[in-house]
Amino acid sequence: MIDINSNIYDTGQGNNAHKGPGPGLMGARTLTGDNVVNHADENLGEVKEIMLDTHTGKIAYVVVAHGGLLGIGEKLFAIPWSALALDTVNKRFILNIEKSHFDSAPGFDPDQWPDMADEIWVDSVHAHYSTKT
């Protein structure tokens, strides 16, 4: 059995150790928990989940938790994958928005996820982040 807390990609020790398939190809679990910042280096939240479109096999959204304290009072936001840039050096994502952008963003409560296949919801999310569906 594989220990889910261990790094399954670590195949050796020392300077020549192979640490995985990244950064061009990464396991979704290695990105969960990463911070999301903007270009002003302001913390926008933390990656909670990565949503796959099972019909296309592509990543549709990164669910980011914003606000709250220790998970209490936080709100979730589905950020289109195309709106994010992966900063592999600092192990985080960069989203090119102002921090106040979340005030009007289509978010949801952790216990009431939207129907992410609903075309009206999809269009509103992509319009908010100026991305294409």
Side-chain angles (χ1 to χ4, degrees):
M1 183 187 314
I2 295 174
D3 177 5
I4 62 169
N5 295 317
S6 69
N7 183 348
I8 64 172
Y9 306 119
D10 191 358
T11 60
Q13 297 179 357
N15 292 336
N16 294 324
H18 181 65
K19 298 292 184 187
L25 183 65
M26 301 179 80
R29 185 175 43 149
T30 64
L31 302 172
T32 304
D34 282 2
N35 287 329
V36 178
V37 300
N38 61 15
H39 282 46
D41 208 30
E42 295 175 302
N43 185 34
L44 300 176
E46 177 184 302
V47 174
K48 290 293 187 179
E49 191 66 76
I50 296 175
M51 306 303 294
L52 301 175
D53 181 329
T54 59
H55 298 290
T56 66
K58 296 180 180 180
I59 296 172
Y61 303 101
V62 172
V63 177
V64 174
H66 173 77
L69 182 62
L70 301 173
I72 298 171
E74 72 184 4
K75 194 161 187 173
L76 301 179
F77 297 88
I79 312 295
W81 180 252
S82 59
L84 295 160
L86 180 60
D87 177 358
T88 57
V89 173
N90 296 303
K91 297 182 180 178
R92 64 187 185 177
F93 286 93
I94 299 173
L95 179 59
N96 192 19
I97 63 169
E98 298 296 321
K99 195 170 187 173
S100 62
H101 192 78
F102 279 120
D103 294 340
S104 62
F108 52 97
D109 293 325
D111 59 348
Q112 292 187 330
W113 285 53
D115 176 1
M116 292 184 173
D118 176 45
E119 289 185 33
I120 294 170
W121 182 86
V122 170
D123 289 343
S124 72
V125 169
H126 282 280
H128 193 76
Y129 295 99
S130 300
T131 56
K132 296 180 182 179
T133 57

